[in-house]
């Protein structure tokens, strides 16, 4: 369809302009020392091997041996050296570059101010000039050198760089690649003297663990937002509607009423913890003038949405019965994943006679979940005027949302001002169980995981490169399991790394090979490299999954470096299927990733990945076309990349909050939550449990899952299914229970008894699969639960598409 659409005059002009303009690629990192220059030079060699005429200039190696080694035989165009405050500076010699006229040039340090009297004041202007001459540029920048990010990060890291570039500089780039490094690796590099010569103020505390984590999270979220923008443009060109499944989009449907501000605050709270965007809509009848009271509430809502920088729209409403259709159409158009709305106050008979907006929305649910906010009016009473923020202990307002000034990055990345550390518990005596846990942790090996958005991004290559670095430093290291998939570049990285022979297992008359965990334990190295963490072992193996073998190695005090793709993370299984149409069978429980001491992202742009595929660096030539038309489609790769960036950003945030005992960028969460999931024995149960876990994890809540069985004892088949559901719940750290109801009419009553017993604050239910006429004749368990659970939040999860 896309190829037949007529281009606009603006699109034609832009396409013609780009024919003669150079290609701009920006490598972004959290801080100096993250490896941007190393990767810049490495990409230069790759371009040279592809026959591109490439040169380097103004490269800052800071005399780091590994970086200097990467220069190799790359041609250098001399830069102009000058001194500023006793520090040598390097400017681009534009005249020499234009005379040389290469196809591509590698330039370090995008945020650089040129010497007085130079043709341009900044390096950014130099680069823009080169691009106009048709010279492609690859350059580097630190996230805190972007102007708006610098302002956001200052309260956390304690300094603001002297030289910055506009944040929208990234938007002019054809490609942005994140060079991700964990704080642990950076601090190790610093301790080993590899970061000597950093040009930062002496009193800056940027290289503290918590500050590095903040900058890393900002970099991840910033690149994720850019990826999201490109995904939206791609989906728009294809005419796709509905959520992309790569990010959360929260839509609050508010009224000019006393509870409108409460719904918006609740929506904001959800958006923050789930790292999603927030929009607000309200409905007005055309030509109808607002009452004085409604006008007051409107002013309050407009002021609140402006303060939290959430888009706000008034939608015309011809009649109440059209509201569900208009709201759902709006949600699909804006790729909303969750609508936030209030509970209905109607009785069942009123709903039947007059119709219920909420029931109408539930009936029309199409890829969009419904979040119904608990009704506090019965206990708190209705407010006649808009609610005012009431400062409570810990500076949290009545809706549980952190107060204080919020700053925005393109209206998306939200960072609060500096908060004090959480309560200091250093004097509290540990229990024996806590002591045992700490001892186990101390004895356990160090666990590092390289994660990517798709096969072929370079996880195994990077793991092997790190293995060689550790070997050169004298570490006792071996390869426990390696899968090169025939990639020469990856195989070439093995070098002198010793490989533990695989164990042979006879399966149905065929010799299969697996990692020999027993032999690794016998050799007892300091570090072992284990590829493909999500792999399922051959039947007959001692353990079912490779991550279980890894747990054995870690428990024995052996450190492990491993690899996996984001689609193998258990809780993302449904999102990945919605994105790609492929159900990933091999998964890794989320707790394994949380067990890792370091998780590092290998980021590659979709176009680069697709080119690697075409060049035969990922799969065999005969598999290329099929892959490009299925899993490796552009939309899939963009969405998976965004999913990986956001997931890792959330992981960094959780570690910052839990390990560092410091406030996270999403603000504190002090409201105690209990998530209660209701399931049947259908195939949708796993999906609801995964959704429940992700919410519980983000809200630091307890997770309970219940199946209400009616009739006689469970059959063997039903018991087997219930056991499988229970096992999944336990893998997510939740509690599973089977309860019994004498007949179907009592299901809702038993369910509410169980939910109230554990003091549930949020119910999670699946959208009913029954046709509307069956629900009308026999009633609906969901509708009955909504009437009974008005004191709770309720999330109704939409049926999957397709």
């Amino acid at each position: 369809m896309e190829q037949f659409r007529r281009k606009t005059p603006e699109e034609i002009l832009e396409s013609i302009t780009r024919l003669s303009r150079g290609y701009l690629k920006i490598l972004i990192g959290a801080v100096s020392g993250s490896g941007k220059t190393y990767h810049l030079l490495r990409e230069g060699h790759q371009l040279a091997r592809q026959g591109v005429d490439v040169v380097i200039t103004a490269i800052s190696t800071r005399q780091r041996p590994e970086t200097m080694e990467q220069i190799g035989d790359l041609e250098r165009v001399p830069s102009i050296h000058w001194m500023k405050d006793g520090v040598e500076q390097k400017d681009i010699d534009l005249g020499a570059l234009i005379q040389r006229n290469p196809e591509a040039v590698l330039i370090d340090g995008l945020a650089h101010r040129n010497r007085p009297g130079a043709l341009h004041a900044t390096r950014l202007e130099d680069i823009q000039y080169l691009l106009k001459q048709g010279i492609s540029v690859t350059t580097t920048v630190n996230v805190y050198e972007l102007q708006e990010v610098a302002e956001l990060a200052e309260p956390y890291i304690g300094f603001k760089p002297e030289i910055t570039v506009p944040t929208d500089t990234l938007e002019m780039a054809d490609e942005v690649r994140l060079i991700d490094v964990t704080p642990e690796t950076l601090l190790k590099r610093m301790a080993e003297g590899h970061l000597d010569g950093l040009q930062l103020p002496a009193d800056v505390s940027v290289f503290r663990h918590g500050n590095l984590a903040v900058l890393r999270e900002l970099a991840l979220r910033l690149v994720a937002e850019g990826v999201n923008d490109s995904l939206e443009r791609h989906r728009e060109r294809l005419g796709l509607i509905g959520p992309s499944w790569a990010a959360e989009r929260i839509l609050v449907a508010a009224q000019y009423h006393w509870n409108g501000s409460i719904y918006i605050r609740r929506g904001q709270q959800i958006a923050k913890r789930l790292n999603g965007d927030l929009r607000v809509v309200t409905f007005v009848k055309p030509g109808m003038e607002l009452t004085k009271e409604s006008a007051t509430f409107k002013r309050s809502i407009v002021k609140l949405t402006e303060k939290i920088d959430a888009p706000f729209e008034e939608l015309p409403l011809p009649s109440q019965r059209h509201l569900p259709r208009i709201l759902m159409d709006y949600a699909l158009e804006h790729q909303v994943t969750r609508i936030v709305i209030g509970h209905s106050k109607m009785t069942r008979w009123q709903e039947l006679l007059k119709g219920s907006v909420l029931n109408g929305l539930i009936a029309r649910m199409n890829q969009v979940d419904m979040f119904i906010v608990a009704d506090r009016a019965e206990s708190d009473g209705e407010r006649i005027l808009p609610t005012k923020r009431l400062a409570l202990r810990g500076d949290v307002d009545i809706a549980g949302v952190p107060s204080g000034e919020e700053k925005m990055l393109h209206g998306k990345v939200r960072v609060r001002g500096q908060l004090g550390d959480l309560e200091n518990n250093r004097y509290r005596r540990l229990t024996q169980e806590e002591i045992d846990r700490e001892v186990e942790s101390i004895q356990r090996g160090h666990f590092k995981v390289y994660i990517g958005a798709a096969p072929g991004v370079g996880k195994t290559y990077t793991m092997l490169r790190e293995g060689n670095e550790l070997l050169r430093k004298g570490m006792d290291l071996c390869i426990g399991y390696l899968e090169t998939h025939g990639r020469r570049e990856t195989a070439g990285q093995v070098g002198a790394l010793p490989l533990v022979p695989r164990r042979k297992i006879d399966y149905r008359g065929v010799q299969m090979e697996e990692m020999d965990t027993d032999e690794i334990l016998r050799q007892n190295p300091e570090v072992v490299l284990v590829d493909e963490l999500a792999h399922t072992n051959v039947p007959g193996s001692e353990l079912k999954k490779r991550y279980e073998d890894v747990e054995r190695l870690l428990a024995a005090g052996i450190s492990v470096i491993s690899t996996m793709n984001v689609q193998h993370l258990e809780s993302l299984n449904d999102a990945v299927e919605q994105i790609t149409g492929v159900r990933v069978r091999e998964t890794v429980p989320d707790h394994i990733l949380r067990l890792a001491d370091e998780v590092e992202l290998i980021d590659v742009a979709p176009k680069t990945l697709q080119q690697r595929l075409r060049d035969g660096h990922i799969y065999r030539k005969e598999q290329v076309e099929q892959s490009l038309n299925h899993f490796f489609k552009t939309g899939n790769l963009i969405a998976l990349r965004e999913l990986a960036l956001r997931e890792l950003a959330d992981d960094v945030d959780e570690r910052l909050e839990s390990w560092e005992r410091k406030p996270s960028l999403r603000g504190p969460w002090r409201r105690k939550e209990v998530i209660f999931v209701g399931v049947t024995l259908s195939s949708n149960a796993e999906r609801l449990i995964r959704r429940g876990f992700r919410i519980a994890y983000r809200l630091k809540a307890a997770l309970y899952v219940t199946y209400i069985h009616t009739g006689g004892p469970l059959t063997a088949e039903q018991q087997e299914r219930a056991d499988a559901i229970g096992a999944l719940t336990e893998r997510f750290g939740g509690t599973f229970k089977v309860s019994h109801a004498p007949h179907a009419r009592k299901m809702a009553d038993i369910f509410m008894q169980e939910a109230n017993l554990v003091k549930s604050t949020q119910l999670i239910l699946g959208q009913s699969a029954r046709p509307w006429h069956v629900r009308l004749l026999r009633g609906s368990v969901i509708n009955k639960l909504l009437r009974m659970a008005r004191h709770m939040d309720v999330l109704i999860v939409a049926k999957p598409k397709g």
Side-chain angles (χ1 to χ4, degrees), residues 120 143 212 515 668:
H120 302 124
V143 72
L212 292 172
M515 181 171 73

Side-chain angles (χ1 to χ4, degrees), residues 570-600:
E570 176 82 65
S571 69
L572 291 177
N573 199 256
D574 304 300
V576 170
E577 184 180 19
Q578 296 284 11
I579 290 169
T580 65
V582 176
R583 169 64 72 175
V584 177
R585 300 299 174 189
E586 294 189 317
T587 60
V588 174
D590 289 56
H591 75 84
I592 297 295
L593 202 62
R594 313 303 173 213
L595 178 71
D597 301 282
E598 297 181 68
V599 182
E600 198 166 291

Side-chain angles (χ1 to χ4, degrees), residues 90-107:
K90 296 179 182 179
D91 284 2
I92 299 170
D93 189 336
L94 283 176
L97 266 178
I98 296 301
Q99 186 176 0
R100 172 63 178 76
N101 193 30
E103 289 180 281
V105 58
L106 313 181
I107 304 171

Side-chain angles (χ1 to χ4, degrees), residues 497 545 699 711:
L497 293 171
K545 302 287 291 188
L699 303 186

Side-chain angles (χ1 to χ4, degrees), residues 351-393:
E351 290 174 356
L352 287 171
L353 291 172
K354 299 181 180 180
S356 163
V357 170
L358 184 55
N359 290 347
L361 280 168
I362 293 171
R364 287 178 172 272
M365 284 173 67
N366 179 11
Q367 306 179 54
V368 183
D369 296 344
M370 198 70 55
F371 186 90
I372 302 107
V373 180
D375 183 4
R376 313 283 185 205
E378 290 185 12
S379 58
D380 299 344
E382 292 191 6
R383 296 175 177 85
I384 304 304
L385 293 175
T387 178
K388 293 183 180 179
R389 193 184 69 79
L390 175 63
L392 301 176
R393 183 174 181 268

